[in-house]
Amino acid sequence: MSFCFGVLGPLQIWRHGKELDLGARQQRLILALLLANAGQPVGIAEIVEVLWDQRPPQSAVNVVHRYIGALRRLFEPGLPARSAGRWLLGDAAGYRIRVDSDNLDLLRLRDLAERARSDELAGRLPEAMAAYESALNLWRGPCGGASELASYNHLAFSVVDHECAELAREAASLALRLERSRSVLPVLRRVAEHRPLDEALQAQLLLSLSADGQQAEAIALYHNTRRRLADELGVDPGEELREAYQMVLGLNVAGPISSGAAEPPSPSAPPRGMHIGRAPGATAVLPAQLPADLPWFTGRDEARRRTLGLVNGHVMTQVSMPVLAIDGLPGIGKTSLAIHLAHQLADAYPDGQLYVDLQGFDPEQSVLHPAEALQGFLNALGVPDSDIPASHHARSGLYRSVLAGRRILVVLDNAHSVEQVRPLLPGAPGCLVLVTSRKRLTGLATAHGAHLMTLDVLLPEDARRFLTARIGAGRTGTDPAAVDEIVERCGRLPLALAVVAARALTHPDYRLADIARELREAQGSLDGFADHDMGNDIRAIFSWSYRMLGHRAARMFRLLSLHPGMDITVAAMASLTGVPLREARQLAGELVRTGLLTEHTVGRFTTHDLIRAYAQELVHQHEDGPAREHAFHRLAHHYRQTAYEADLLLVPAVVLDRPEELADTVTTHLSDAGEAIAWFNADRQVIKAIVGRQLDDGPADPAWRLAVSLQRFLHGEGWWHDWAAMARSCLQAATAAGDDLGRAYMSRSLAGAELMLGNHDSAARFLRLSLDLFNGLGNAEEQALVYRNLGQVSAAQENYRDAVDSYEHALRLVESLDDLLAQVALLYCLAEAHAYLGRTDTSMEMASRALRIAETLDDPTGLGLSYEALAISFYAEGDLPAALTAWKQATEMYRQLGWRMNWVESLLHQGDTALALGDPADARAAWQQALDLLSHLHVPLVPVIEERLTRLEPARAVRAYGAR
């Protein structure tokens, strides 16, 4: 194994036995978080929360991406930007690091802990003790050194720290039984030093010190802990610590600790290494208000793990009361999860469980006032009505007084706001509060240290298990294809799955394929999810949130269904709705707070497919045809304006006139080529859909003009099939409309896509058509581009003499126009063609001219082309080391720019040159980087690179310069 990762203490990573420098504090913190999650995905939002708590900068997501890239290159030096590599992986769930028990100390500790517990349960006590000792020897300090890196201790680190403390307690307990306390005492002492308020841990240390003959230190430890508890928490030691102290003094009924003496039973090992502590004590009245748990609860494993870790950390330290606020869109399963968690945790809260539905989003009932909820809670706790004050502030104070010193679990379901929840929070650290709301209650986190958890839809496998648990394996097992379709059509939303399951149970003669067909036929509406019980009807439940919106937010929600993409920016929302950007932000915030919209990445919002279907129903009910058309026109103009500006950032050459500005349309402002490429990548599918809609509705002019702004991006990123399809559709529409300007542009655009896809004859035919049209229109700039493209087609067909003729014709045109950027591109083309013809002096002259102009312009794209031209010329002259240097310069320039296909081409030739110099390792590295950059594309270069990697030889696929 080439890497070893250490997170059980200060963060450490070794590669081939050598420790790595892990970089800046925030970079180390991200790595610690990934390792603390031990190979499980960590979402961007959680990383941002760890780095900046509740105050992230606007650039937070970009900063995280930069640190992730730096970490990837730390693991694999030379790995290009945007490549995932082998170790740090990313997907829709977030980022995760590839680890196992052989290379991560945390997973190794868990394996040893599991073995120790199994041996102990089986009565193999010496073997269990050995496994415990091996596990504890891996612990070096608090998880990842996060306490020094972060401003506060995040849940992920707390979970690991508590897990290690629990392991130390279990090991110490067994060591007492085996009279081997000395073997674990050093580690137990160090763990206890880091958790001075963990009474259970201090009690175990007390007993271990006494068993080792260190009574004086044990007594001093008790008094120090008692003073610390009084000073910092204002409480006396709990029963467990007091009993341990009595045993040290020899006053316990079981007698002092000695050989063969009785001792407290060791704690049982709970599943997955979790152990929930219990505090003694009882109330006169033990409320048990929890609704029944679901008998077939499935999924949410990560949410349950996080909650158990949260509770463990608070219970054992007793520093503060844990509050977990669960939010998410309607029907996501917030209440089901909270109730399920409450039942799992009930034993840890022996003084009872309180539950209330706060009716925060129920239109049939008014929002429950906190005073009413307090009345019910106090009654459940044994306080008669006559003793309950009228003032809700006084009731809240009495409620906290009654709960003081007690261990109560409180579930506040369906909360409307932080203000509704705040009076219902106990003051005692021994209590636990679970809150559910469609809103993200950030105020609870700010004022009360609440942990926020946003639920997403179920994982596909969990959604399938959900149906199987409710319908039965007999029905789901006979038609897995229908199950998969139902899961997909339900959008993995628990409520939708539950409605479908109820229908299947109500009609046992229905085949699942029939239910899947019903959902398919109802696509675009919620008719397939109607339910006689309005409490379960999806349309009704969505309406509860919709009715809470203000007039303008409700209109925005309806109009969002007209947007054809999976997510949308605030600027696009402003344009769609026809409101200023600032107001759009406020309305988007209102939609987020009601759970109808989610900000899945900074600045980009999305919603569930079924909520979109609900909005689509509403927009046809409340917005007439002209209103919908005006909204779509504003949206399309937003994308046309932004695409035009983004295209200019990629190559600052004016192709078409700037679109006219509309007063009620907002443009997204981008600062550089990198942001432009990122925006195009994020909204590529949306722009395709808008072009398609414009072509369907007519006229053709807006569609092809938007397509022109997209073509440079599609070319540079390798989306050639999309490019060809869009250009072909626009050309057909322009031809039908008799639009010669559109025909000219789209003929040339389609020719470019055909050329990249290897269809040379088709490319030449469309270029000749385009040239005739531009000649008729008198457009010299576009004529020059067509001549350059004709030269590229000739070069691709290895007809370099015709290529030179076309390039020179184009060069004369751009020189007459004083277009220096176009001159650089043509000089690059000429240098390449002359090199293939064996005219090395001319090739070098063209390359040098290109470099001088590019340096004068300080144009990155021109510099990249110039370095390419020099590399080609050096190779033709036989100066391979100089050629390799120039290829590396071109590669770096394109890497900085983010021009994917230029970057790939440079890496391809860089590898060829390295291999020609006898360096197969460098060749393989360059080709592998190139292949990684194309991992999402199906372009002709992929098999070319794969063949090189397979054969790892110069290959005949690369022509020798000067051969013709």
Side-chain angles (χ1 to χ4, degrees), residues 72-73 75-76 79-90 96 98 928 932 935:
R72 283 172 167 159
R73 291 187 290 277
F75 298 147
E76 300 174 73
L79 186 72
R82 303 186 186 179
S83 296
R86 295 178 52 238
W87 292 96
L88 212 168
L89 309 176
R96 64 183 179 89
R98 180 176 288 164
Q928 187 60 55
D932 290 343
S935 60

mmCIF file with all atom_site columns, all heavy atoms in Angstrom, residues 72-73 75-76 79-90 96 98 928 932 935:
data_model
loop_
_atom_site.group_PDB
_atom_site.id
_atom_site.type_symbol
_atom_site.label_atom_id
_atom_site.label_alt_id
_atom_site.label_comp_id
_atom_site.label_asym_id
_atom_site.label_entity_id
_atom_site.label_seq_id
_atom_site.pdbx_PDB_ins_code
_atom_site.Cartn_x
_atom_site.Cartn_y
_atom_site.Cartn_z
_atom_site.occupancy
_atom_site.B_iso_or_equiv
_atom_site.pdbx_formal_charge
_atom_site.auth_seq_id
_atom_site.auth_comp_id
_atom_site.auth_asym_id
_atom_site.auth_atom_id
_atom_site.pdbx_PDB_model_num
ATOM 1   N N   . ARG A 1 72  ? -5.600  16.453 -4.227  1.00 0.00 ? 72  ARG A N   1
ATOM 2   C CA  . ARG A 1 72  ? -5.436  15.405 -5.235  1.00 0.00 ? 72  ARG A CA  1
ATOM 3   C C   . ARG A 1 72  ? -4.019  15.403 -5.794  1.00 0.00 ? 72  ARG A C   1
ATOM 4   O O   . ARG A 1 72  ? -3.411  14.353 -5.985  1.00 0.00 ? 72  ARG A O   1
ATOM 5   C CB  . ARG A 1 72  ? -6.450  15.611 -6.362  1.00 0.00 ? 72  ARG A CB  1
ATOM 6   C CG  . ARG A 1 72  ? -7.854  15.158 -5.991  1.00 0.00 ? 72  ARG A CG  1
ATOM 7   C CD  . ARG A 1 72  ? -8.867  15.537 -7.048  1.00 0.00 ? 72  ARG A CD  1
ATOM 8   N NE  . ARG A 1 72  ? -10.130 14.845 -6.840  1.00 0.00 ? 72  ARG A NE  1
ATOM 9   C CZ  . ARG A 1 72  ? -11.296 15.239 -7.329  1.00 0.00 ? 72  ARG A CZ  1
ATOM 10  N NH1 . ARG A 1 72  ? -11.358 16.318 -8.076  1.00 0.00 ? 72  ARG A NH1 1
ATOM 11  N NH2 . ARG A 1 72  ? -12.392 14.539 -7.101  1.00 0.00 ? 72  ARG A NH2 1
ATOM 12  N N   . ARG A 1 73  ? -3.492  16.587 -6.048  1.00 0.00 ? 73  ARG A N   1
ATOM 13  C CA  . ARG A 1 73  ? -2.127  16.650 -6.589  1.00 0.00 ? 73  ARG A CA  1
ATOM 14  C C   . ARG A 1 73  ? -1.089  16.323 -5.519  1.00 0.00 ? 73  ARG A C   1
ATOM 15  O O   . ARG A 1 73  ? 0.023   15.894 -5.844  1.00 0.00 ? 73  ARG A O   1
ATOM 16  C CB  . ARG A 1 73  ? -1.881  18.028 -7.204  1.00 0.00 ? 73  ARG A CB  1
ATOM 17  C CG  . ARG A 1 73  ? -2.690  18.254 -8.476  1.00 0.00 ? 73  ARG A CG  1
ATOM 18  C CD  . ARG A 1 73  ? -2.312  19.540 -9.180  1.00 0.00 ? 73  ARG A CD  1
ATOM 19  N NE  . ARG A 1 73  ? -2.743  20.713 -8.447  1.00 0.00 ? 73  ARG A NE  1
ATOM 20  C CZ  . ARG A 1 73  ? -3.974  21.230 -8.506  1.00 0.00 ? 73  ARG A CZ  1
ATOM 21  N NH1 . ARG A 1 73  ? -4.886  20.660 -9.262  1.00 0.00 ? 73  ARG A NH1 1
ATOM 22  N NH2 . ARG A 1 73  ? -4.290  22.309 -7.833  1.00 0.00 ? 73  ARG A NH2 1
ATOM 23  N N   . PHE A 1 75  ? -1.555  13.890 -3.365  1.00 0.00 ? 75  PHE A N   1
ATOM 24  C CA  . PHE A 1 75  ? -1.518  12.430 -3.418  1.00 0.00 ? 75  PHE A CA  1
ATOM 25  C C   . PHE A 1 75  ? -0.862  11.924 -4.699  1.00 0.00 ? 75  PHE A C   1
ATOM 26  O O   . PHE A 1 75  ? -0.187  10.905 -4.701  1.00 0.00 ? 75  PHE A O   1
ATOM 27  C CB  . PHE A 1 75  ? -2.938  11.853 -3.324  1.00 0.00 ? 75  PHE A CB  1
ATOM 28  C CG  . PHE A 1 75  ? -3.654  12.186 -2.046  1.00 0.00 ? 75  PHE A CG  1
ATOM 29  C CD1 . PHE A 1 75  ? -5.020  12.366 -2.025  1.00 0.00 ? 75  PHE A CD1 1
ATOM 30  C CD2 . PHE A 1 75  ? -2.958  12.322 -0.860  1.00 0.00 ? 75  PHE A CD2 1
ATOM 31  C CE1 . PHE A 1 75  ? -5.689  12.680 -0.856  1.00 0.00 ? 75  PHE A CE1 1
ATOM 32  C CE2 . PHE A 1 75  ? -3.607  12.624 0.312   1.00 0.00 ? 75  PHE A CE2 1
ATOM 33  C CZ  . PHE A 1 75  ? -4.973  12.807 0.318   1.00 0.00 ? 75  PHE A CZ  1
ATOM 34  N N   . GLU A 1 76  ? -1.097  12.627 -5.803  1.00 0.00 ? 76  GLU A N   1
ATOM 35  C CA  . GLU A 1 76  ? -0.590  12.188 -7.100  1.00 0.00 ? 76  GLU A CA  1
ATOM 36  C C   . GLU A 1 76  ? 0.046   13.373 -7.811  1.00 0.00 ? 76  GLU A C   1
ATOM 37  O O   . GLU A 1 76  ? -0.604  14.058 -8.605  1.00 0.00 ? 76  GLU A O   1
ATOM 38  C CB  . GLU A 1 76  ? -1.721  11.603 -7.943  1.00 0.00 ? 76  GLU A CB  1
ATOM 39  C CG  . GLU A 1 76  ? -2.381  10.394 -7.298  1.00 0.00 ? 76  GLU A CG  1
ATOM 40  C CD  . GLU A 1 76  ? -3.600  9.914  -8.065  1.00 0.00 ? 76  GLU A CD  1
ATOM 41  O OE1 . GLU A 1 76  ? -3.413  9.318  -9.144  1.00 0.00 ? 76  GLU A OE1 1
ATOM 42  O OE2 . GLU A 1 76  ? -4.724  10.147 -7.597  1.00 0.00 ? 76  GLU A OE2 1
ATOM 43  N N   . LEU A 1 79  ? -0.846  15.268 -11.353 1.00 0.00 ? 79  LEU A N   1
ATOM 44  C CA  . LEU A 1 79  ? -2.233  15.070 -11.752 1.00 0.00 ? 79  LEU A CA  1
ATOM 45  C C   . LEU A 1 79  ? -2.800  16.394 -12.249 1.00 0.00 ? 79  LEU A C   1
ATOM 46  O O   . LEU A 1 79  ? -2.702  17.409 -11.567 1.00 0.00 ? 79  LEU A O   1
ATOM 47  C CB  . LEU A 1 79  ? -3.053  14.582 -10.550 1.00 0.00 ? 79  LEU A CB  1
ATOM 48  C CG  . LEU A 1 79  ? -4.499  14.184 -10.831 1.00 0.00 ? 79  LEU A CG  1
ATOM 49  C CD1 . LEU A 1 79  ? -4.547  12.876 -11.606 1.00 0.00 ? 79  LEU A CD1 1
ATOM 50  C CD2 . LEU A 1 79  ? -5.280  14.049 -9.526  1.00 0.00 ? 79  LEU A CD2 1
ATOM 51  N N   . PRO A 1 80  ? -3.405  16.424 -13.443 1.00 0.00 ? 80  PRO A N   1
ATOM 52  C CA  . PRO A 1 80  ? -3.920  17.691 -13.962 1.00 0.00 ? 80  PRO A CA  1
ATOM 53  C C   . PRO A 1 80  ? -5.126  18.173 -13.182 1.00 0.00 ? 80  PRO A C   1
ATOM 54  O O   . PRO A 1 80  ? -5.824  17.389 -12.545 1.00 0.00 ? 80  PRO A O   1
ATOM 55  C CB  . PRO A 1 80  ? -4.298  17.358 -15.409 1.00 0.00 ? 80  PRO A CB  1
ATOM 56  C CG  . PRO A 1 80  ? -4.549  15.897 -15.397 1.00 0.00 ? 80  PRO A CG  1
ATOM 57  C CD  . PRO A 1 80  ? -3.593  15.322 -14.386 1.00 0.00 ? 80  PRO A CD  1
ATOM 58  N N   . ALA A 1 81  ? -5.374  19.486 -13.244 1.00 0.00 ? 81  ALA A N   1
ATOM 59  C CA  . ALA A 1 81  ? -6.562  20.033 -12.609 1.00 0.00 ? 81  ALA A CA  1
ATOM 60  C C   . ALA A 1 81  ? -7.799  19.388 -13.205 1.00 0.00 ? 81  ALA A C   1
ATOM 61  O O   . ALA A 1 81  ? -7.828  19.001 -14.369 1.00 0.00 ? 81  ALA A O   1
ATOM 62  C CB  . ALA A 1 81  ? -6.604  21.554 -12.814 1.00 0.00 ? 81  ALA A CB  1
ATOM 63  N N   . ARG A 1 82  ? -8.851  19.296 -12.365 1.00 0.00 ? 82  ARG A N   1
ATOM 64  C CA  . ARG A 1 82  ? -10.143 18.708 -12.732 1.00 0.00 ? 82  ARG A CA  1
ATOM 65  C C   . ARG A 1 82  ? -10.105 17.193 -12.896 1.00 0.00 ? 82  ARG A C   1
ATOM 66  O O   . ARG A 1 82  ? -11.090 16.594 -13.289 1.00 0.00 ? 82  ARG A O   1
ATOM 67  C CB  . ARG A 1 82  ? -10.707 19.336 -14.021 1.00 0.00 ? 82  ARG A CB  1
ATOM 68  C CG  . ARG A 1 82  ? -10.890 20.853 -13.968 1.00 0.00 ? 82  ARG A CG  1
ATOM 69  C CD  . ARG A 1 82  ? -11.582 21.324 -15.216 1.00 0.00 ? 82  ARG A CD  1
ATOM 70  N NE  . ARG A 1 82  ? -11.631 22.769 -15.255 1.00 0.00 ? 82  ARG A NE  1
ATOM 71  C CZ  . ARG A 1 82  ? -12.167 23.474 -16.248 1.00 0.00 ? 82  ARG A CZ  1
ATOM 72  N NH1 . ARG A 1 82  ? -12.701 22.861 -17.268 1.00 0.00 ? 82  ARG A NH1 1
ATOM 73  N NH2 . ARG A 1 82  ? -12.167 24.782 -16.218 1.00 0.00 ? 82  ARG A NH2 1
ATOM 74  N N   . SER A 1 83  ? -8.963  16.573 -12.654 1.00 0.00 ? 83  SER A N   1
ATOM 75  C CA  . SER A 1 83  ? -8.906  15.109 -12.714 1.00 0.00 ? 83  SER A CA  1
ATOM 76  C C   . SER A 1 83  ? -9.085  14.543 -11.313 1.00 0.00 ? 83  SER A C   1
ATOM 77  O O   . SER A 1 83  ? -8.539  15.062 -10.348 1.00 0.00 ? 83  SER A O   1
ATOM 78  C CB  . SER A 1 83  ? -7.560  14.655 -13.294 1.00 0.00 ? 83  SER A CB  1
ATOM 79  O OG  . SER A 1 83  ? -7.436  15.087 -14.625 1.00 0.00 ? 83  SER A OG  1
ATOM 80  N N   . ALA A 1 84  ? -9.863  13.451 -11.217 1.00 0.00 ? 84  ALA A N   1
ATOM 81  C CA  . ALA A 1 84  ? -10.183 12.900 -9.895  1.00 0.00 ? 84  ALA A CA  1
ATOM 82  C C   . ALA A 1 84  ? -9.024  12.119 -9.304  1.00 0.00 ? 84  ALA A C   1
ATOM 83  O O   . ALA A 1 84  ? -8.795  12.138 -8.107  1.00 0.00 ? 84  ALA A O   1
ATOM 84  C CB  . ALA A 1 84  ? -11.413 12.006 -9.998  1.00 0.00 ? 84  ALA A CB  1
ATOM 85  N N   . GLY A 1 85  ? -8.270  11.423 -10.140 1.00 0.00 ? 85  GLY A N   1
ATOM 86  C CA  . GLY A 1 85  ? -7.204  10.588 -9.620  1.00 0.00 ? 85  GLY A CA  1
ATOM 87  C C   . GLY A 1 85  ? -7.757  9.345  -8.941  1.00 0.00 ? 85  GLY A C   1
ATOM 88  O O   . GLY A 1 85  ? -8.936  9.000  -9.070  1.00 0.00 ? 85  GLY A O   1
ATOM 89  N N   . ARG A 1 86  ? -6.903  8.662  -8.184  1.00 0.00 ? 86  ARG A N   1
ATOM 90  C CA  . ARG A 1 86  ? -7.258  7.379  -7.582  1.00 0.00 ? 86  ARG A CA  1
ATOM 91  C C   . ARG A 1 86  ? -7.712  7.485  -6.135  1.00 0.00 ? 86  ARG A C   1
ATOM 92  O O   . ARG A 1 86  ? -8.380  6.589  -5.623  1.00 0.00 ? 86  ARG A O   1
ATOM 93  C CB  . ARG A 1 86  ? -6.060  6.422  -7.645  1.00 0.00 ? 86  ARG A CB  1
ATOM 94  C CG  . ARG A 1 86  ? -5.635  6.027  -9.038  1.00 0.00 ? 86  ARG A CG  1
ATOM 95  C CD  . ARG A 1 86  ? -4.416  5.107  -9.010  1.00 0.00 ? 86  ARG A CD  1
ATOM 96  N NE  . ARG A 1 86  ? -4.622  3.976  -8.113  1.00 0.00 ? 86  ARG A NE  1
ATOM 97  C CZ  . ARG A 1 86  ? -3.836  3.702  -7.082  1.00 0.00 ? 86  ARG A CZ  1
ATOM 98  N NH1 . ARG A 1 86  ? -2.802  4.482  -6.804  1.00 0.00 ? 86  ARG A NH1 1
ATOM 99  N NH2 . ARG A 1 86  ? -4.065  2.650  -6.321  1.00 0.00 ? 86  ARG A NH2 1
ATOM 100 N N   . TRP A 1 87  ? -7.362  8.567  -5.446  1.00 0.00 ? 87  TRP A N   1
ATOM 101 C CA  . TRP A 1 87  ? -7.529  8.581  -3.995  1.00 0.00 ? 87  TRP A CA  1
ATOM 102 C C   . TRP A 1 87  ? -8.683  9.451  -3.513  1.00 0.00 ? 87  TRP A C   1
ATOM 103 O O   . TRP A 1 87  ? -9.434  9.060  -2.646  1.00 0.00 ? 87  TRP A O   1
ATOM 104 C CB  . TRP A 1 87  ? -6.230  9.043  -3.327  1.00 0.00 ? 87  TRP A CB  1
ATOM 105 C CG  . TRP A 1 87  ? -5.139  8.037  -3.509  1.00 0.00 ? 87  TRP A CG  1
ATOM 106 C CD1 . TRP A 1 87  ? -4.165  8.052  -4.475  1.00 0.00 ? 87  TRP A CD1 1
ATOM 107 C CD2 . TRP A 1 87  ? -4.937  6.838  -2.766  1.00 0.00 ? 87  TRP A CD2 1
ATOM 108 N NE1 . TRP A 1 87  ? -3.374  6.938  -4.366  1.00 0.00 ? 87  TRP A NE1 1
ATOM 109 C CE2 . TRP A 1 87  ? -3.816  6.170  -3.311  1.00 0.00 ? 87  TRP A CE2 1
ATOM 110 C CE3 . TRP A 1 87  ? -5.584  6.263  -1.682  1.00 0.00 ? 87  TRP A CE3 1
ATOM 111 C CZ2 . TRP A 1 87  ? -3.343  4.970  -2.815  1.00 0.00 ? 87  TRP A CZ2 1
ATOM 112 C CZ3 . TRP A 1 87  ? -5.111  5.075  -1.178  1.00 0.00 ? 87  TRP A CZ3 1
ATOM 113 C CH2 . TRP A 1 87  ? -4.000  4.440  -1.749  1.00 0.00 ? 87  TRP A CH2 1
ATOM 114 N N   . LEU A 1 88  ? -8.830  10.660 -4.088  1.00 0.00 ? 88  LEU A N   1
ATOM 115 C CA  . LEU A 1 88  ? -9.855  11.581 -3.613  1.00 0.00 ? 88  LEU A CA  1
ATOM 116 C C   . LEU A 1 88  ? -10.938 11.651 -4.690  1.00 0.00 ? 88  LEU A C   1
ATOM 117 O O   . LEU A 1 88  ? -10.728 12.224 -5.749  1.00 0.00 ? 88  LEU A O   1
ATOM 118 C CB  . LEU A 1 88  ? -9.250  12.963 -3.348  1.00 0.00 ? 88  LEU A CB  1
ATOM 119 C CG  . LEU A 1 88  ? -9.891  13.759 -2.223  1.00 0.00 ? 88  LEU A CG  1
ATOM 120 C CD1 . LEU A 1 88  ? -9.023  14.959 -1.860  1.00 0.00 ? 88  LEU A CD1 1
ATOM 121 C CD2 . LEU A 1 88  ? -11.281 14.212 -2.556  1.00 0.00 ? 88  LEU A CD2 1
ATOM 122 N N   . LEU A 1 89  ? -12.095 11.063 -4.390  1.00 0.00 ? 89  LEU A N   1
ATOM 123 C CA  . LEU A 1 89  ? -13.129 10.878 -5.395  1.00 0.00 ? 89  LEU A CA  1
ATOM 124 C C   . LEU A 1 89  ? -14.304 11.807 -5.110  1.00 0.00 ? 89  LEU A C   1
ATOM 125 O O   . LEU A 1 89  ? -14.595 12.135 -3.960  1.00 0.00 ? 89  LEU A O   1
ATOM 126 C CB  . LEU A 1 89  ? -13.614 9.424  -5.390  1.00 0.00 ? 89  LEU A CB  1
ATOM 127 C CG  . LEU A 1 89  ? -12.499 8.357  -5.474  1.00 0.00 ? 89  LEU A CG  1
ATOM 128 C CD1 . LEU A 1 89  ? -13.090 6.969  -5.367  1.00 0.00 ? 89  LEU A CD1 1
ATOM 129 C CD2 . LEU A 1 89  ? -11.709 8.510  -6.771  1.00 0.00 ? 89  LEU A CD2 1
ATOM 130 N N   . GLY A 1 90  ? -14.989 12.220 -6.165  1.00 0.00 ? 90  GLY A N   1
ATOM 131 C CA  . GLY A 1 90  ? -16.151 13.087 -6.031  1.00 0.00 ? 90  GLY A CA  1
ATOM 132 C C   . GLY A 1 90  ? -17.326 12.547 -6.812  1.00 0.00 ? 90  GLY A C   1
ATOM 133 O O   . GLY A 1 90  ? -17.148 11.952 -7.881  1.00 0.00 ? 90  GLY A O   1
ATOM 134 N N   . ARG A 1 96  ? -15.164 11.899 -1.173  1.00 0.00 ? 96  ARG A N   1
ATOM 135 C CA  . ARG A 1 96  ? -14.752 10.851 -0.241  1.00 0.00 ? 96  ARG A CA  1
ATOM 136 C C   . ARG A 1 96  ? -13.330 10.440 -0.585  1.00 0.00 ? 96  ARG A C   1
ATOM 137 O O   . ARG A 1 96  ? -12.861 10.615 -1.715  1.00 0.00 ? 96  ARG A O   1
ATOM 138 C CB  . ARG A 1 96  ? -15.689 9.643  -0.317  1.00 0.00 ? 96  ARG A CB  1
ATOM 139 C CG  . ARG A 1 96  ? -15.691 8.921  -1.652  1.00 0.00 ? 96  ARG A CG  1
ATOM 140 C CD  . ARG A 1 96  ? -16.706 7.791  -1.660  1.00 0.00 ? 96  ARG A CD  1
ATOM 141 N NE  . ARG A 1 96  ? -16.752 7.092  -2.933  1.00 0.00 ? 96  ARG A NE  1
ATOM 142 C CZ  . ARG A 1 96  ? -15.990 6.057  -3.248  1.00 0.00 ? 96  ARG A CZ  1
ATOM 143 N NH1 . ARG A 1 96  ? -15.111 5.597  -2.358  1.00 0.00 ? 96  ARG A NH1 1
ATOM 144 N NH2 . ARG A 1 96  ? -16.074 5.479  -4.420  1.00 0.00 ? 96  ARG A NH2 1
ATOM 145 N N   . ARG A 1 98  ? -10.481 7.339  -0.658  1.00 0.00 ? 98  ARG A N   1
ATOM 146 C CA  . ARG A 1 98  ? -10.437 5.878  -0.786  1.00 0.00 ? 98  ARG A CA  1
ATOM 147 C C   . ARG A 1 98  ? -9.512  5.318  0.287   1.00 0.00 ? 98  ARG A C   1
ATOM 148 O O   . ARG A 1 98  ? -8.296  5.451  0.208   1.00 0.00 ? 98  ARG A O   1
ATOM 149 C CB  . ARG A 1 98  ? -9.947  5.503  -2.192  1.00 0.00 ? 98  ARG A CB  1
ATOM 150 C CG  . ARG A 1 98  ? -9.864  4.001  -2.419  1.00 0.00 ? 98  ARG A CG  1
ATOM 151 C CD  . ARG A 1 98  ? -9.479  3.695  -3.859  1.00 0.00 ? 98  ARG A CD  1
ATOM 152 N NE  . ARG A 1 98  ? -10.568 3.968  -4.772  1.00 0.00 ? 98  ARG A NE  1
ATOM 153 C CZ  . ARG A 1 98  ? -10.423 4.077  -6.087  1.00 0.00 ? 98  ARG A CZ  1
ATOM 154 N NH1 . ARG A 1 98  ? -9.232  3.982  -6.632  1.00 0.00 ? 98  ARG A NH1 1
ATOM 155 N NH2 . ARG A 1 98  ? -11.475 4.297  -6.862  1.00 0.00 ? 98  ARG A NH2 1
ATOM 156 N N   . GLN A 1 928 ? -2.127  9.461  -19.833 1.00 0.00 ? 928 GLN A N   1
ATOM 157 C CA  . GLN A 1 928 ? -3.157  9.151  -18.842 1.00 0.00 ? 928 GLN A CA  1
ATOM 158 C C   . GLN A 1 928 ? -3.900  10.414 -18.423 1.00 0.00 ? 928 GLN A C   1
ATOM 159 O O   . GLN A 1 928 ? -5.122  10.397 -18.236 1.00 0.00 ? 928 GLN A O   1
ATOM 160 C CB  . GLN A 1 928 ? -2.529  8.479  -17.616 1.00 0.00 ? 928 GLN A CB  1
ATOM 161 C CG  . GLN A 1 928 ? -3.560  7.976  -16.604 1.00 0.00 ? 928 GLN A CG  1
ATOM 162 C CD  . GLN A 1 928 ? -4.501  6.942  -17.198 1.00 0.00 ? 928 GLN A CD  1
ATOM 163 O OE1 . GLN A 1 928 ? -4.064  5.928  -17.734 1.00 0.00 ? 928 GLN A OE1 1
ATOM 164 N NE2 . GLN A 1 928 ? -5.805  7.203  -17.131 1.00 0.00 ? 928 GLN A NE2 1
ATOM 165 N N   . ASP A 1 932 ? -7.889  11.009 -18.819 1.00 0.00 ? 932 ASP A N   1
ATOM 166 C CA  . ASP A 1 932 ? -8.728  11.399 -17.680 1.00 0.00 ? 932 ASP A CA  1
ATOM 167 C C   . ASP A 1 932 ? -9.570  12.630 -18.009 1.00 0.00 ? 932 ASP A C   1
ATOM 168 O O   . ASP A 1 932 ? -10.734 12.738 -17.589 1.00 0.00 ? 932 ASP A O   1
ATOM 169 C CB  . ASP A 1 932 ? -7.867  11.679 -16.451 1.00 0.00 ? 932 ASP A CB  1
ATOM 170 C CG  . ASP A 1 932 ? -7.243  10.416 -15.870 1.00 0.00 ? 932 ASP A CG  1
ATOM 171 O OD1 . ASP A 1 932 ? -7.721  9.314  -16.201 1.00 0.00 ? 932 ASP A OD1 1
ATOM 172 O OD2 . ASP A 1 932 ? -6.270  10.533 -15.113 1.00 0.00 ? 932 ASP A OD2 1
ATOM 173 N N   . SER A 1 935 ? -12.790 11.713 -19.826 1.00 0.00 ? 935 SER A N   1
ATOM 174 C CA  . SER A 1 935 ? -13.542 10.603 -19.225 1.00 0.00 ? 935 SER A CA  1
ATOM 175 C C   . SER A 1 935 ? -15.043 10.735 -19.440 1.00 0.00 ? 935 SER A C   1
ATOM 176 O O   . SER A 1 935 ? -15.762 9.739  -19.436 1.00 0.00 ? 935 SER A O   1
ATOM 177 C CB  . SER A 1 935 ? -13.241 10.521 -17.727 1.00 0.00 ? 935 SER A CB  1
ATOM 178 O OG  . SER A 1 935 ? -13.613 11.733 -17.078 1.00 0.00 ? 935 SER A OG  1
#
